Amino acid sequence: MKTSASIALIASVLAFTTTASAQFAKPDDAIRYRKSALFVMQQNFGRVAAMASGKAPFDAKIVADSAAVADFTSKLPWAAFGEGTDKGDTRAKAEIWKESAKFKEYADKMQVEMSKLAVAAKTGNLDNIKAAVNATGGTCKTCHDAYRKD
Ligand code: ASC
């Protein structure tokens, strides 16, 4: 790679990581941001799960729209788990910052399953939606069991 190209690459990587960790004015904002994103995601996922299990009347359009919102919002919380955001109004366990690779792996798995749910929801196939809801819910639980205080 030419030196100029590698400098450009390093600059863009630095710019990205700086943006990801410095987009909040204060730690409380980051905590509020990730909790808000997770809340919106859960509300949409929960609606899909309720319809998939028959607890709520099935509506294919609501399922598809809600799963799409859950898929999008599943990508948002993670940039708000930066250094210094372990203290405050949060149930996040300290292990998140000690085991960041594992935490990221769990977060990534959840996003993959949530995206599959959005695809299944678009097809409207109830069996596929149910299976995807279970797989996604499993990834929520795995991460909560390890990294969320009761
Ligand atoms: C939800 C929610 C979770 C997951 C989990 C699935 O709707 O709030 O944490 O699903 O309960 O096991």
Side-chain angles (χ1 to χ4, degrees):
M1 197 187 289
K2 282 168 87 178
T3 312
S4 57
S6 45
I7 288 171
L9 178 65
I10 290 164
S12 64
V13 169
L14 281 178
F16 176 78
T17 49
T18 307
T19 308
S21 62
Q23 61 182 289
F24 303 102
K26 46 191 196 298
D28 281 354
D29 286 352
I31 292 171
R32 198 167 148 198
Y33 179 96
R34 72 195 185 211
K35 286 168 77 172
S36 302
L38 288 163
F39 180 71
V40 173
M41 182 185 80
Q42 189 281 328
Q43 292 291 293
N44 283 275
F45 174 73
R47 193 178 302 125
V48 174
M51 289 190 177
S53 67
K55 286 192 191 115
F58 188 85
D59 181 316
K61 175 150 173 54
I62 292 175
V63 164
D65 289 351
S66 301
V69 174
D71 183 22
F72 183 80
T73 49
S74 76
K75 301 178 192 326
L76 304 181
W78 320 111
F81 281 90
E83 291 299 322
T85 66
D86 54 330
K87 302 261 177 340
D89 185 13
T90 177
R91 285 191 284 166
K93 285 190 184 167
E95 281 75 13
I96 289 172
W97 291 272
K98 292 179 198 141
E99 303 167 9
S100 51
K102 196 166 160 206
F103 179 67
K104 185 180 185 307
E105 184 191 315
Y106 285 176
D108 288 349
K109 263 189 198 153
M110 186 278 281
Q111 292 168 73
V112 167
E113 295 304 333
M114 196 69 87
S115 291
K116 288 191 201 163
L117 175 59
V119 171
K122 256 193 229 169
T123 71
N125 180 299
L126 188 55
D127 287 340
N128 291 349
I129 294 167
K130 276 186 194 168
V133 162
N134 287 338
T136 307
T139 65
C140 301
K141 188 175 182 323
T142 302
C143 196
H144 291 160
D145 288 352
Y147 295 120
R148 188 177 71 172
K149 291 176 203 160
D150 296 331

